[in-house]
PDB file of all heavy atoms in Angstrom:
ATOM      1  N   TYR A 283      -6.380  13.016  11.724  1.00 98.00           N
ATOM      2  CA  TYR A 283      -5.532  13.742  12.660  1.00 98.00           C
ATOM      3  C   TYR A 283      -4.978  15.060  12.128  1.00 98.00           C
ATOM      4  O   TYR A 283      -4.302  15.782  12.876  1.00 98.00           O
ATOM      5  CB  TYR A 283      -4.375  12.840  13.103  1.00 98.00           C
ATOM      6  CG  TYR A 283      -4.829  11.525  13.692  1.00 98.00           C
ATOM      7  CD1 TYR A 283      -4.522  10.321  13.059  1.00 98.00           C
ATOM      8  CD2 TYR A 283      -5.596  11.489  14.855  1.00 98.00           C
ATOM      9  CE1 TYR A 283      -4.933   9.104  13.576  1.00 98.00           C
ATOM     10  CE2 TYR A 283      -6.029  10.273  15.367  1.00 98.00           C
ATOM     11  CZ  TYR A 283      -5.717   9.092  14.725  1.00 98.00           C
ATOM     12  OH  TYR A 283      -6.138   7.900  15.236  1.00 98.00           O
ATOM     13  N   GLY A 284      -5.210  15.340  10.868  1.00 97.00           N
ATOM     14  CA  GLY A 284      -4.621  16.528  10.275  1.00 97.00           C
ATOM     15  C   GLY A 284      -3.315  16.187   9.563  1.00 97.00           C
ATOM     16  O   GLY A 284      -2.621  15.198   9.890  1.00 97.00           O
ATOM     17  N   ALA A 285      -2.954  17.000   8.599  1.00 96.00           N
ATOM     18  CA  ALA A 285      -1.806  16.715   7.753  1.00 96.00           C
ATOM     19  C   ALA A 285      -0.490  16.672   8.531  1.00 96.00           C
ATOM     20  O   ALA A 285       0.377  15.810   8.301  1.00 96.00           O
ATOM     21  CB  ALA A 285      -1.698  17.728   6.608  1.00 96.00           C
ATOM     22  N   GLU A 286      -0.314  17.617   9.458  1.00 97.00           N
ATOM     23  CA  GLU A 286       0.955  17.665  10.202  1.00 97.00           C
ATOM     24  C   GLU A 286       1.148  16.421  11.036  1.00 97.00           C
ATOM     25  O   GLU A 286       2.235  15.812  11.052  1.00 97.00           O
ATOM     26  CB  GLU A 286       0.968  18.925  11.071  1.00 97.00           C
ATOM     27  CG  GLU A 286       2.294  19.116  11.813  1.00 97.00           C
ATOM     28  CD  GLU A 286       2.329  20.382  12.649  1.00 97.00           C
ATOM     29  OE1 GLU A 286       1.500  21.273  12.387  1.00 97.00           O
ATOM     30  OE2 GLU A 286       3.194  20.468  13.532  1.00 97.00           O
ATOM     31  N   ALA A 287       0.118  16.012  11.775  1.00 97.00           N
ATOM     32  CA  ALA A 287       0.217  14.800  12.584  1.00 97.00           C
ATOM     33  C   ALA A 287       0.402  13.574  11.707  1.00 97.00           C
ATOM     34  O   ALA A 287       1.142  12.660  12.072  1.00 97.00           O
ATOM     35  CB  ALA A 287      -1.038  14.668  13.466  1.00 97.00           C
ATOM     36  N   ALA A 288      -0.267  13.532  10.556  1.00 97.00           N
ATOM     37  CA  ALA A 288      -0.152  12.392   9.664  1.00 97.00           C
ATOM     38  C   ALA A 288       1.292  12.144   9.237  1.00 97.00           C
ATOM     39  O   ALA A 288       1.732  10.974   9.124  1.00 97.00           O
ATOM     40  CB  ALA A 288      -1.047  12.569   8.451  1.00 97.00           C
ATOM     41  N   GLU A 289       2.022  13.192   9.002  1.00 96.00           N
ATOM     42  CA  GLU A 289       3.412  13.060   8.587  1.00 96.00           C
ATOM     43  C   GLU A 289       4.249  12.388   9.681  1.00 96.00           C
ATOM     44  O   GLU A 289       5.218  11.690   9.397  1.00 96.00           O
ATOM     45  CB  GLU A 289       3.993  14.432   8.224  1.00 96.00           C
ATOM     46  CG  GLU A 289       3.387  15.070   7.003  1.00 96.00           C
ATOM     47  CD  GLU A 289       3.723  14.278   5.746  1.00 96.00           C
ATOM     48  OE1 GLU A 289       4.769  13.632   5.683  1.00 96.00           O
ATOM     49  OE2 GLU A 289       2.909  14.327   4.792  1.00 96.00           O
ATOM     50  N   ARG A 290       3.889  12.619  10.939  1.00 96.00           N
ATOM     51  CA  ARG A 290       4.617  11.992  12.036  1.00 96.00           C
ATOM     52  C   ARG A 290       4.163  10.556  12.285  1.00 96.00           C
ATOM     53  O   ARG A 290       4.964   9.688  12.644  1.00 96.00           O
ATOM     54  CB  ARG A 290       4.407  12.802  13.331  1.00 96.00           C
ATOM     55  CG  ARG A 290       4.943  14.223  13.295  1.00 96.00           C
ATOM     56  CD  ARG A 290       4.986  14.809  14.700  1.00 96.00           C
ATOM     57  NE  ARG A 290       3.688  14.730  15.383  1.00 96.00           N
ATOM     58  CZ  ARG A 290       2.760  15.672  15.296  1.00 96.00           C
ATOM     59  NH1 ARG A 290       2.971  16.768  14.582  1.00 96.00           N
ATOM     60  NH2 ARG A 290       1.628  15.525  15.973  1.00 96.00           N
ATOM     61  N   VAL A 291       2.879  10.290  12.095  1.00 97.00           N
ATOM     62  CA  VAL A 291       2.308   9.005  12.448  1.00 97.00           C
ATOM     63  C   VAL A 291       2.565   7.949  11.360  1.00 97.00           C
ATOM     64  O   VAL A 291       2.823   6.770  11.671  1.00 97.00           O
ATOM     65  CB  VAL A 291       0.788   9.134  12.695  1.00 97.00           C
ATOM     66  CG1 VAL A 291       0.144   7.768  12.933  1.00 97.00           C
ATOM     67  CG2 VAL A 291       0.526  10.052  13.888  1.00 97.00           C
ATOM     68  N   GLU A 292       2.554   8.363  10.100  1.00 97.00           N
ATOM     69  CA  GLU A 292       2.679   7.379   9.014  1.00 97.00           C
ATOM     70  C   GLU A 292       3.932   6.539   9.091  1.00 97.00           C
ATOM     71  O   GLU A 292       3.868   5.288   8.943  1.00 97.00           O
ATOM     72  CB  GLU A 292       2.577   8.105   7.658  1.00 97.00           C
ATOM     73  CG  GLU A 292       2.431   7.191   6.479  1.00 97.00           C
ATOM     74  CD  GLU A 292       3.782   6.732   5.896  1.00 97.00           C
ATOM     75  OE1 GLU A 292       4.777   7.425   6.198  1.00 97.00           O
ATOM     76  OE2 GLU A 292       3.821   5.720   5.193  1.00 97.00           O
ATOM     77  N   PRO A 293       5.112   7.102   9.345  1.00 96.00           N
ATOM     78  CA  PRO A 293       6.306   6.230   9.458  1.00 96.00           C
ATOM     79  C   PRO A 293       6.215   5.256  10.626  1.00 96.00           C
ATOM     80  O   PRO A 293       6.703   4.119  10.505  1.00 96.00           O
ATOM     81  CB  PRO A 293       7.466   7.251   9.675  1.00 96.00           C
ATOM     82  CG  PRO A 293       6.942   8.541   9.159  1.00 96.00           C
ATOM     83  CD  PRO A 293       5.492   8.536   9.443  1.00 96.00           C
ATOM     84  N   ARG A 294       5.577   5.634  11.690  1.00 97.00           N
ATOM     85  CA  ARG A 294       5.425   4.717  12.836  1.00 97.00           C
ATOM     86  C   ARG A 294       4.475   3.574  12.470  1.00 97.00           C
ATOM     87  O   ARG A 294       4.679   2.419  12.867  1.00 97.00           O
ATOM     88  CB  ARG A 294       4.901   5.489  14.055  1.00 97.00           C
ATOM     89  CG  ARG A 294       5.888   6.573  14.539  1.00 97.00           C
ATOM     90  CD  ARG A 294       5.252   7.502  15.540  1.00 97.00           C
ATOM     91  NE  ARG A 294       4.801   6.794  16.739  1.00 97.00           N
ATOM     92  CZ  ARG A 294       3.927   7.339  17.604  1.00 97.00           C
ATOM     93  NH1 ARG A 294       3.433   8.560  17.403  1.00 97.00           N
ATOM     94  NH2 ARG A 294       3.589   6.649  18.669  1.00 97.00           N
ATOM     95  N   LEU A 295       3.430   3.906  11.755  1.00 97.00           N
ATOM     96  CA  LEU A 295       2.499   2.866  11.315  1.00 97.00           C
ATOM     97  C   LEU A 295       3.204   1.882  10.390  1.00 97.00           C
ATOM     98  O   LEU A 295       3.066   0.647  10.525  1.00 97.00           O
ATOM     99  CB  LEU A 295       1.301   3.523  10.624  1.00 97.00           C
ATOM    100  CG  LEU A 295       0.173   2.597  10.133  1.00 97.00           C
ATOM    101  CD1 LEU A 295      -1.169   3.333  10.246  1.00 97.00           C
ATOM    102  CD2 LEU A 295       0.391   2.162   8.698  1.00 97.00           C
ATOM    103  N   ARG A 296       3.999   2.404   9.478  1.00 96.00           N
ATOM    104  CA  ARG A 296       4.716   1.525   8.549  1.00 96.00           C
ATOM    105  C   ARG A 296       5.753   0.665   9.281  1.00 96.00           C
ATOM    106  O   ARG A 296       5.969  -0.495   8.906  1.00 96.00           O
ATOM    107  CB  ARG A 296       5.404   2.378   7.461  1.00 96.00           C
ATOM    108  CG  ARG A 296       4.473   2.818   6.379  1.00 96.00           C
ATOM    109  CD  ARG A 296       5.209   3.070   5.088  1.00 96.00           C
ATOM    110  NE  ARG A 296       4.300   3.112   3.964  1.00 96.00           N
ATOM    111  CZ  ARG A 296       3.831   2.062   3.313  1.00 96.00           C
ATOM    112  NH1 ARG A 296       4.202   0.836   3.672  1.00 96.00           N
ATOM    113  NH2 ARG A 296       3.011   2.213   2.306  1.00 96.00           N
ATOM    114  N   GLU A 297       6.350   1.206  10.311  1.00 97.00           N
ATOM    115  CA  GLU A 297       7.310   0.428  11.090  1.00 97.00           C
ATOM    116  C   GLU A 297       6.640  -0.791  11.730  1.00 97.00           C
ATOM    117  O   GLU A 297       7.211  -1.880  11.790  1.00 97.00           O
ATOM    118  CB  GLU A 297       7.958   1.305  12.145  1.00 97.00           C
ATOM    119  CG  GLU A 297       9.113   0.649  12.896  1.00 97.00           C
ATOM    120  CD  GLU A 297       8.667  -0.227  14.043  1.00 97.00           C
ATOM    121  OE1 GLU A 297       7.634   0.090  14.658  1.00 97.00           O
ATOM    122  OE2 GLU A 297       9.340  -1.254  14.344  1.00 97.00           O
TER     123      GLU A 297
END
Side-chain angles (χ1 to χ4, degrees):
Y283 305 116
E286 183 178 343
E289 292 295 331
R290 297 194 306 270
V291 175
E292 190 272 340
R294 296 168 61 196
L295 183 147
R296 281 205 163 276
E297 187 277 328

